[in-house]
Amino acid sequence: MEAFIEYISVIKGLRPLSVEAYSRDLYDFERFIEKDILQSSSEEILAFLALYDKATTRNRKLSSLNTFFDFCYKSEFISTKPKLKLAKTTQNLPKFLEYDEIMHMLKSIDRSKEQGMRDYALILFLYATGCRVSEAVGSRKSDITEDGWLRIYNAKGDKQRLVPIAPVAQKALKQYLQMRSRESDFLWLSYQGKPLSRISIFKIVKKYLGVSPHVLRHSFATALILGGADLRVVQELLGHESIITTQIYTHLQKEDLRQSVENHHPLAKGVS
């Protein structure tokens, strides 16, 4: 167990929260079978998974176990490993807001004050770049190029991607920085002059839009897909390591194509 935790922490470089989730799943299973995990059977794994009603939860637990056993097998701690497949789950389309909805709700913000201008610029920034909340928290003025591109660094700091900032968002950000009373290289500051936290950004977006900041990330991707952007381009802009993660948006693309046919093709109008 200790070797596995060191492997996913140091070699794989997983985030602390992910490491904690793996550890919790493995210790939960160990408590359930009341013996060494390496002595467990496929039947015991199935019995453990049966404790959970949601397929997504079962899949997460099984994924942790499969990753652990795969590590043990490759490290020659065991000679065979359990072979259990993930359960099929319904793929829900991500919730998103349309451009008109977002701009309408932003009208309620008082931009004559620094905090209001910050909130307005922040929401446009999230919608314009599709960045994660953690990435917005760490964004600095020095991350923005002269021609309006944002450098976004991943958690490990060894990779970065460039995302163009839409002119409307650039203008709002410039106005906010001009109004700001405190100096800092960080883009988004609290009234105390400290970088905004993830919780603070969540509360700001929730206050004006009624959704989480992650919905703005989905809205960014959805707008691009429905506008005809290539899936690989969207993958690059979102910073997805695998195209599989981005492919959920193809369902939106198909629905848009279906709607276009139903609206414009003569045979779709039911005339025979």
Side-chain angles (χ1 to χ4, degrees):
M1 186 80 78
E2 291 178 1
F4 174 71
I5 298 303
E6 181 178 352
Y7 169 73
I8 61 175
S9 302
V10 180
I11 306 301
K12 299 292 289 184
L14 297 187
R15 297 179 180 182
L17 287 177
S18 298
V19 175
E20 182 183 339
Y22 273 105
S23 302
R24 186 172 55 250
D25 291 341
L26 293 173
Y27 284 121
D28 284 347
F29 179 58
E30 189 173 49
R31 284 194 294 269
F32 174 75
I33 60 176
E34 297 181 337
K35 62 181 181 181
D36 190 328
I37 292 183
L38 297 185
Q39 305 301 319
S40 62
S41 64
S42 297
E43 290 74 17
E44 288 172 322
I45 294 176
L46 289 173
F48 171 68
L49 297 176
L51 297 174
Y52 304 94
D53 295 328
K54 293 184 178 179
T56 52
T57 303
R58 292 196 297 272
N59 281 347
R60 198 199 77 234
K61 299 283 186 183
L62 180 55
S63 177
S64 297
L65 291 170
N66 281 342
T67 303
F68 172 73
F69 284 119
D70 185 62
F71 164 78
C72 291
Y73 179 75
K74 290 178 179 178
S75 302
E76 299 184 349
F77 294 139
I78 53 177
S79 57
T80 59
K81 58 181 178 179
K83 296 180 180 180
L84 295 173
K85 294 182 178 180
L86 299 179
K88 290 185 178 181
T89 58
T90 56
Q91 193 173 41
N92 296 321
L93 295 179
K95 181 179 180 181
F96 67 93
L97 296 175
E98 294 185 354
Y99 167 78
D100 291 339
E101 290 181 277
I102 295 172
M103 300 310 294
H104 176 72
M105 288 185 280
L106 290 185
K107 290 180 180 179
S108 64
I109 300 179
D110 180 4
R111 285 181 271 163
S112 64
K113 298 178 181 179
E114 179 183 334
Q115 184 173 316
M117 192 65 229
R118 178 203 64 192
D119 295 350
Y120 177 79
L122 172 61
I123 292 173
L124 285 181
F125 177 84
L126 292 170
Y127 180 45
T129 62
C131 67
R132 302 174 177 90
V133 175
S134 58
E135 294 167 341
V137 167
S139 294
R140 300 170 179 262
K141 290 190 288 185
S142 55
D143 294 333
I144 300 177
T145 67
E146 292 183 1
D147 51 351
W149 289 72
L150 174 68
R151 294 189 187 91
I152 302 178
Y153 301 89
N154 73 349
K156 302 175 190 176
D158 58 351
K159 292 181 181 179
Q160 71 174 37
R161 67 185 190 276
L162 282 169
V163 178
I165 307 175
V168 174
Q170 286 188 52
K171 181 180 178 181
L173 177 58
K174 183 178 180 180
Q175 290 175 328
Y176 161 58
L177 293 176
Q178 289 174 342
M179 292 177 64
R180 205 164 73 177
S181 57
R182 297 175 183 269
E183 188 56 40
S184 173
D185 190 35
F186 283 99
L187 285 181
W188 312 108
L189 301 181
S190 68
Y191 69 93
Q192 296 174 322
K194 298 178 181 179
L196 283 180
S197 66
R198 294 168 61 104
I199 294 176
S200 296
I201 292 179
F202 178 89
K203 288 181 178 179
I204 290 170
V205 177
K206 189 75 173 178
K207 175 182 177 181
Y208 296 107
L209 303 185
V211 297
S212 72
H214 206 68
V215 172
L216 285 175
R217 181 168 159 85
H218 288 315
S219 302
F220 165 81
T222 299
L224 292 176
I225 289 293
L226 296 184
D230 183 83
L231 200 63
R232 290 286 181 183
V233 173
V234 178
Q235 176 194 2
E236 178 69 22
L237 292 173
L238 291 175
H240 287 162
E241 290 190 7
S242 171
I243 191 68
I244 296 175
T245 310
T246 319
Q247 281 178 341
I248 187 172
Y249 296 105
T250 59
H251 293 277
L252 295 167
Q253 195 173 39
K254 290 176 182 177
E255 287 302 312
D256 188 54
L257 291 173
R258 181 198 299 273
Q259 193 64 46
S260 297
V261 171
E262 291 178 352
N263 289 341
H264 303 294
H265 197 284
L267 291 180
K269 300 183 184 299
V271 179
S272 59

